[in-house]
Every structure is written in structure tokens, then in C-alpha cells.
Amino acid sequence: MTATPRQGRVASIIVWSAATSSALAVLGAAALWFHYGTAVFFEMIAAGISACF
């Protein structure tokens, strides 16, 4: 079974959206890291993880 051009386009949009979201998350984490420093950044991550569990 071959994919139609429309299905390929939708799949491409989904993949590019996921890649863009991931890149923005990494850039946001890097920005927080540089703004707050490593110690505060890791404390914020640890507090967030402990709040979930």
C-alpha cells in the first residue's frame, strides 16, 4: 500500500511540528540555564520532578 501525497504531507507537517516543539523546549531550557545558573536550574528541575511524584 502506498501513501497518497496528502498523507505524506500530513505526516511531514506532524514531524516538523514535533521537531520545532522539541527545538523550542531545548532552547528554553538553555535560556533558563544561562539566566539562572546551573545550581538554580537543577534545583528547579528537581523541585518540578518531586512535585509530580
Side-chain angles (χ1 to χ4, degrees), residues 23-47:
L24 288 174
V26 169
L27 287 174
L32 287 173
W33 184 305
F34 288 118
H35 185 265
Y36 292 112
T38 56
V40 175
F41 181 76
F42 284 123
E43 288 177 15
M44 288 172 41
I45 298 296

Side-chain angles (χ1 to χ4, degrees), residues 9-35:
R9 181 174 168 87
V10 171
S12 177
I13 289 171
I14 291 170
V15 169
W16 279 107
S17 297
T20 302
S21 298
S22 299
L24 288 174
V26 169
L27 287 174
L32 287 173
W33 184 305
F34 288 118
H35 185 265

